[in-house]
Amino acid sequence: MSQNLSTDQELVSDIVACQLVIKQILDVIDVIAPVEVREKMSHQLKSIDFATHPAATDPVTRRAIQKAIALIELKFTPQGEAH
């Protein structure tokens, strides 16, 4: 870890680390959380009103929320039910 990284490399490294942690969290939720909790996670994100929410002004945050919804639905929707 003594290698010096550029700012872009450091950012990409941080993103990959976050993705790995999120995958682990989703795996744990998949095992321990009842279906109602999984549905609530997606519903809470879907209920954000982009017309009034501050995230609407930031396209990066808005896209991140959309991706989070997609990841939760992909992870917890049985493959036979996926659209």
Side-chain angles (χ1 to χ4, degrees), residues 55-67:
T57 61
D58 179 20
V60 173
T61 302
R62 185 176 187 149
R63 179 69 179 132
I65 292 168
Q66 292 168 340
K67 281 184 139 181

Side-chain angles (χ1 to χ4, degrees), residues 65-75:
I65 292 168
Q66 292 168 340
K67 281 184 139 181
I69 292 167
L71 285 171
I72 290 169
E73 289 181 341
L74 179 66
K75 176 69 179 178

Side-chain angles (χ1 to χ4, degrees), residues 21-35:
V21 170
I22 289 166
K23 184 191 179 319
Q24 293 298 311
I25 292 168
L26 288 174
D27 288 346
V28 169
I29 291 170
D30 193 28
V31 172
I32 66 172
V35 173

Side-chain angles (χ1 to χ4, degrees), residues 8-60:
D8 287 345
Q9 290 172 321
E10 192 68 42
L11 180 60
V12 170
S13 174
D14 291 350
I15 291 169
V16 171
C18 289
Q19 288 172 328
L20 292 170
V21 170
I22 289 166
K23 184 191 179 319
Q24 293 298 311
I25 292 168
L26 288 174
D27 288 346
V28 169
I29 291 170
D30 193 28
V31 172
I32 66 172
V35 173
E36 299 81 27
V37 172
R38 299 178 206 166
E39 290 173 354
K40 184 176 181 182
M41 291 170 61
S42 179
H43 178 71
Q44 285 176 327
L45 291 172
K46 286 180 182 177
S47 70
I48 295 172
D49 180 7
F50 285 108
T52 60
H53 198 276
T57 61
D58 179 20
V60 173

